[in-house]
């Protein structure tokens, strides 16, 4: 899909707010299960993301996790990692409040509630997107979270545009949207696909526009199909949302935040990063992953991201194939030497809609 960005950019963008938190740029790192850990968030922020959201966590998990060992990274918030949102998913309104309090203690600045996850286990467990079918329970969850955390902590919601395309589903969407704002939420992220749709077909941006018009000055973040800097700016221009949450388009491509920012300011977007720039960021990312998970577990994690970084490489197909064969540190070193030792122009990544199997909210 190509996007036309008009030269008439939004005049004098002077930031937007999530509760008392002022954000100077509309480009946000989306919550991404399996990806938006501390390492990815640190890179996104360095490239210009104004706000980042951690991977979704189950309320029960948050209430029980020790915060150390293999799962410790979920609750990790570093000094430079602000403002950062934590996202909660669950079934029972009663367990959300204590979990939200624990996340605030861990240092998260915003508590986001997930009403979007379409995966079978979430729907079967009456969590995530399932709540779009029951506005009363959804609003009770939001109210409980709002009551549990201090006033200074904004509570937000992430929603898909409904369970499906029936008029009833649409009515329930707006009932939850209005009810959540009435219960005191400070912003809502809307992904313009239905739960039933999962990732088939486009995110309906016209719906985002309608939602933003409906809520007026309240904060709405848009989501869906943000794979290029042009798409990020086009969503802002076409829908009027206050910010955009970049998801699949930012995996293995933190440069998208910098490029979108340039475009938004009316500057040339620049070239895609050269292979030397890619290597340098891959190494930086690896070091952050080492810190997050410990060196023993980090090779598998950087490999997962490496497949995505490969989209920017002129020999992307071969890099991906080699990435699949990385089994140890020597293989990794060898891959960097083979593909990243010469400085070559990078490529604009193709749209990658394949990564949809985890909690694709
Ligand atoms: C692998 C994967 C994991 C995701 N995890 C989360 C999550 O934890 N919380 C959430 O709110 N959305 C999650 N999402 C949804 C994204 O934040 C985003 O709304 C969606 O991918 C649409 O944006 P895109 O088309 O630009 O990727 C996930 C999506 C993918 C593909």
């Amino acid at each position: 899909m190509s996007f036309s960005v008009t030269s008439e950019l939004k005049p004098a963008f002077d930031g937007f707010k999530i509760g008392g938190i002022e954000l100077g740029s509309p480009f946000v790192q989306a919550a991404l299960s399996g990806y938006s850990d501390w390492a990815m968030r640190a890179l996104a922020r360095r490239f210009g993301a104004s706000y980042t959201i951690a991977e979704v966590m189950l309320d029960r998990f948050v209430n029980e996790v020790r915060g150390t060992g293999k799962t410790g990274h979920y609750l990790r918030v570093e000094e430079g990692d602000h403002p950062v949102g934590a996202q909660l998913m669950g079934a029972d309104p009663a367990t959300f409040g204590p979990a939200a309090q624990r996340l605030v203690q861990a240092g998260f600045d915003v508590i986001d509630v997930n009403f979007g996850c379409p995966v079978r286990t979430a729907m079967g467990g009456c969590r995530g997107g399932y709540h779009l079918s029951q506005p009363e329970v959804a609003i009770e969850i939001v109210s409980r979270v709002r009551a549990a955390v201090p006033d200074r902590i904004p509570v937000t919601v992430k929603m898909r545009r409904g369970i499906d395309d029936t008029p009833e589903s649409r009515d329930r969407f707006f009932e939850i949207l209005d009810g959540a704002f009435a219960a005191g939420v400070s912003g809502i992220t809307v992904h313009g696909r239905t739960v039933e749709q999962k990732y088939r077909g486009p995110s309906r941006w016209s719906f985002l526009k309608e939602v933003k018009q409906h809520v007026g000055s309240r904060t709405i973040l848009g989501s869906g199909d943000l794979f290029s800097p042009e798409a990020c700016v086009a969503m802002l221009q076409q829908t009027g949302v206050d910010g955009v949450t970049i998801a699949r388009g930012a995996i293995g491509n933190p440069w998208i935040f910098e490029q979108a920012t340039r475009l938004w300011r009316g500057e040339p977007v620049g070239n895609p990063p050269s292979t030397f720039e890619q290597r340098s960021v891959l190494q930086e990312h690896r070091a952050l992953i080492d810190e997050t998970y410990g060196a023993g577990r980090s090779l598998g994690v950087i490999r997962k991201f490496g497949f995505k970084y490969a989209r920017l490489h002129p020999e992307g197909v071969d890099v991906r194939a080699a990435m699949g064969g990385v089994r140890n540190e020597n293989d990794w070193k060898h891959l960097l030497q083979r593909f990243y030792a010469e400085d070559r122009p990078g490529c604009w990544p193709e749209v990658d809609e394949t990564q949809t199997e985890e909690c694709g909210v």
Side-chain angles (χ1 to χ4, degrees):
M1 217 185 307
S2 72
F3 294 93
S4 62
V5 173
T6 66
S7 55
E8 231 176 79
L9 298 175
K10 215 176 178 182
F13 173 80
D14 47 8
F16 72 102
K17 283 177 113 185
I18 297 183
I21 300 175
E22 300 209 16
L23 300 167
S25 138
F27 304 109
V28 169
Q29 170 62 67
L32 279 171
S33 185
Y35 292 96
S36 63
D37 55 11
W38 173 70
M40 184 183 191
R41 300 198 302 267
L43 268 182
R45 211 177 288 282
R46 183 166 88 60
F47 279 93
S50 59
Y51 169 52
T52 65
I53 311 164
E55 308 168 62
V56 67
M57 290 180 251
L58 282 184
D59 52 355
R60 281 192 322 231
F61 167 80
V62 174
N63 287 332
E64 286 160 19
V65 71
R66 279 182 298 126
T68 54
K70 279 194 168 176
T71 48
H73 69 273
Y74 282 106
L75 297 190
R76 177 170 184 173
V77 179
E78 289 293 309
E79 214 177 299
D81 192 16
H82 295 286
V84 56
Q87 193 186 63
L88 274 177
M89 180 162 79
D92 178 2
T95 47
F96 274 83
Q101 285 170 343
R102 178 121 202 244
L103 292 169
V104 173
Q105 278 160 14
F108 288 98
D109 304 297
V110 176
I111 304 299
D112 192 41
V113 180
N114 182 314
F115 294 152
C117 185
V119 304
R120 207 157 32 89
T121 45
M123 295 300 286
C126 306
R127 301 190 285 263
Y130 184 86
H131 291 301
L132 296 177
S133 68
Q134 43 179 15
E136 266 180 38
V137 177
I139 294 163
E140 190 188 342
I141 289 171
V142 170
S143 306
R144 295 251 194 160
V145 174
R146 186 55 282 168
V149 299
D151 290 349
R152 70 182 163 81
I153 300 289
V155 174
T156 57
V157 170
K158 166 81 179 284
M159 297 164 78
R160 283 191 173 231
R161 74 177 156 83
I163 291 277
D164 55 30
D165 272 322
T166 58
E168 295 75 24
S169 179
R170 182 190 153 84
D171 290 349
R172 288 191 199 107
F173 173 93
F174 281 101
E175 195 180 337
I176 296 170
L177 184 90
D178 292 338
F181 276 122
V185 307
S186 304
I188 297 190
T189 303
V190 182
H191 177 187
R193 292 187 175 88
T194 64
V195 169
E196 192 186 54
Q197 192 183 351
K198 294 203 171 109
Y199 280 85
R200 289 181 300 270
S203 166
R204 194 176 286 174
W205 289 11
S206 58
F207 186 75
L208 304 184
K209 183 175 180 180
E210 193 184 338
V211 169
K212 181 58 196 166
Q213 282 172 351
H214 177 84
V215 304
S217 61
R218 290 170 156 160
T219 298
I220 296 291
L221 302 180
S223 169
D225 293 334
L226 299 174
F227 291 104
S228 65
E230 290 80 10
C232 297
V233 173
M235 180 186 273
L236 289 164
Q237 291 182 331
Q238 288 175 25
T239 68
V241 293
D242 301 280
V244 295
T245 61
I246 310 177
R248 288 174 292 176
I251 306 176
N253 184 18
W255 293 273
I256 194 168
F257 293 101
E258 190 176 64
Q259 294 157 349
T261 305
R262 280 199 214 114
L263 196 63
W264 179 243
R265 290 193 188 126
E267 297 165 12
V269 75
N271 295 319
S274 72
T275 49
F276 269 13
E277 288 172 275
Q278 293 174 36
R279 184 183 62 186
S280 154
V281 170
L282 261 171
Q283 286 170 329
E284 185 182 351
H285 199 159
R286 172 74 200 270
L288 289 165
I289 288 172
D290 279 353
E291 253 191 81
T292 310
Y293 299 91
R297 290 172 62 206
S298 68
L299 194 63
V301 182
I302 190 63
R303 223 174 59 135
K304 176 173 72 174
F305 281 95
F307 282 111
K308 302 295 176 184
Y309 278 99
R311 293 178 299 149
L312 282 69
H313 195 283
E315 290 173 56
V317 175
D318 295 338
V319 179
R320 260 196 301 276
M323 207 58 86
V326 170
R327 296 280 174 269
N328 54 43
E329 293 300 335
N330 257 348
D331 295 342
W332 175 248
K333 241 190 254 163
H334 186 239
L335 182 145
L336 291 182
Q337 274 159 7
R338 181 169 160 210
F339 293 104
Y340 293 92
E342 190 194 333
D343 200 10
R344 298 166 62 188
C347 309
W348 291 112
E350 307 232 318
V351 171
D352 177 4
E353 293 179 306
T354 55
Q355 190 66 51
T356 58
E357 290 309 313
E358 294 174 57
C359 188
V361 182

